[in-house]
Amino acid sequence: MSFVTASVEKYVPDPTAALVRAKILGSRWKARDERTEAGAVTLKVTGVLRASLKLGDIFEIEGVRGSDPMGRQIDLRNPWNALPLTMNEELVLALHAGPSARVWVPLAMTQADGDDAGLREAIGIEALPPHHRLARIQNALVSDSYQLRRYCLSALKEPGIATREQAASAIATAFTSATAPATRIMLFDAMESRDYFQPEVGPDAANVVILTAWLQAIVHETDEHQHTRYLDHLAAVLGVPLAEDPAKDRALRARFSDAVHNPSADQVAAALRAAAAAHPGDPRFQNLADSWTRSASAVR
């Protein structure tokens, strides 16, 4: 029996996967061993996102979960443990056809939030030729739909949709314009990825657009926790030695500090000097403060 994920959006690119919303009609479970139980859940289709099943169809899915309700909390990555699977609860599922018309194989399932618009938009984007998807993806990156944002971030890595620079620019622009904390966290996590920020190549266009977004966040973020997170990440990628030779290390870091113009070097230098003062035992913050202070002096 294959592992079931909560990430329904993962199966949007799979044309063989049915995507539906369905209401639980009932379930039955039987002990399989001391720790697990096997069961079947009966559902009725209440919304069709992508066909195979039809509205009103009744089907079953089979799976295994922990037999102890408290013990299920140990592995919440498995939706069989994480979801209550109670009568009348609605789920969104990705399914493959099973051994009979009534039994389907679950690929992903999660609780329905009452709004299928995000997944429908993801399906619409996926239907476009790859070279026509970028504009829709850029708009969708700031969507309220977690599943749509997840789909878009995954899609940007697919061949033919965007170059590294285009993808970095789309994510950085969305990060800068987003206001919802959950959206900003997701987009910041994406920018941290080695798929986009690659310090060893220097301040190329992709690195600069991401670094600009990070520095704007450092200068303007009012949430202390997030501000600390941005600073810590900057220290981890650019405050560390970039070369064994100290002079070359400073020169490489200077290339980055000279490449960003908004926010100004003065604004960034002030924020980094404050961070260095708050972390006197951490040379990474002093390295950053020295570099941006030098850049600020050079433009005066």
Side-chain angles (χ1 to χ4, degrees):
M1 188 172 295
S2 61
F3 179 76
V4 181
T5 175
S7 303
V8 176
E9 73 284 348
K10 176 181 176 181
Y11 291 94
V12 169
D14 180 357
T16 68
L19 301 172
V20 300
R21 180 164 32 86
K23 180 172 68 175
I24 295 176
L25 301 181
S27 63
R28 57 187 188 277
W29 298 92
K30 183 177 180 180
R32 192 177 74 157
D33 54 40
E34 291 183 358
R35 295 185 178 181
T36 63
E37 56 188 21
V41 180
T42 303
L43 304 104
K44 180 179 180 179
V45 177
T46 56
V48 178
L49 304 174
R50 189 165 62 202
S52 281
L53 287 159
K54 302 185 297 296
L55 197 66
D57 279 353
I58 294 175
F59 66 98
E60 287 188 350
I61 55 175
E62 298 175 343
V64 175
R65 68 182 186 181
S67 54
D68 176 11
M70 294 300 293
R72 289 177 205 147
Q73 305 304 306
I74 296 172
D75 183 14
L76 293 177
R77 295 174 303 168
N78 181 357
W80 290 107
N81 288 333
L83 295 173
L85 301 176
T86 53
M87 182 82 74
N88 293 325
E89 178 186 357
E90 280 204 322
L91 305 179
V92 176
L93 306 101
L95 304 155
H96 273 166
S100 70
R102 184 176 175 85
V103 178
W104 285 69
V105 178
L107 306 168
M109 57 185 185
T110 188
Q111 286 182 298
D113 61 5
D115 185 1
D116 299 329
L119 274 176
R120 291 188 186 279
E121 174 64 5
I123 293 167
I125 293 172
E126 187 68 23
L128 296 172
H131 59 286
H132 287 161
R133 295 178 193 171
L134 182 57
R136 289 268 290 272
I137 288 173
Q138 286 177 314
N139 291 333
L141 282 171
V142 292
S143 165
D144 291 336
S145 169
Y146 172 83
Q147 291 178 322
L148 177 56
R149 296 197 308 272
R150 281 280 299 266
Y151 162 79
C152 289
L153 291 173
S154 178
L156 284 173
K157 300 176 184 178
E158 295 300 317
I161 293 178
T163 64
R164 172 172 160 262
E165 179 182 344
Q166 288 172 327
S169 179
I171 297 169
T173 299
F175 172 77
T176 300
S177 63
T179 56
T183 302
R184 284 176 63 80
I185 290 169
M186 178 183 280
L187 295 171
F188 182 78
D189 287 345
M191 288 191 293
E192 285 184 300
S193 165
R194 289 274 312 158
D195 291 309
Y196 303 117
F197 194 76
Q198 300 171 5
E200 71 278 5
V201 303
D204 69 355
N207 284 343
V208 169
V209 75
I210 289 174
L211 183 58
T212 296
W214 286 346
L215 293 175
Q216 287 174 348
I218 287 171
V219 168
H220 299 296
E221 180 62 66
T222 57
D223 182 278
E224 184 177 351
H225 175 74
Q226 290 305 318
H227 184 260
T228 298
R229 184 183 181 194
Y230 301 148
L231 276 170
D232 285 346
H233 183 69
L234 186 67
V237 294
L238 289 183
V240 297
L242 303 177
E244 291 185 7
D245 177 72
K248 186 176 181 181
D249 173 49
R250 289 191 296 272
L252 289 172
R253 194 173 295 104
R255 291 179 61 203
F256 282 100
S257 58
D258 290 344
V260 176
H261 306 294
N262 180 25
S264 70
D266 270 327
Q267 289 176 296
V268 178
L272 294 175
R273 285 195 295 269
H279 301 82
D282 192 336
R284 299 175 306 165
F285 293 101
Q286 190 60 55
N287 289 339
L288 292 169
D290 289 345
S291 186
W292 261 270
T293 298
R294 183 206 59 79
S295 292
S297 298
V299 298
R300 290 194 187 111

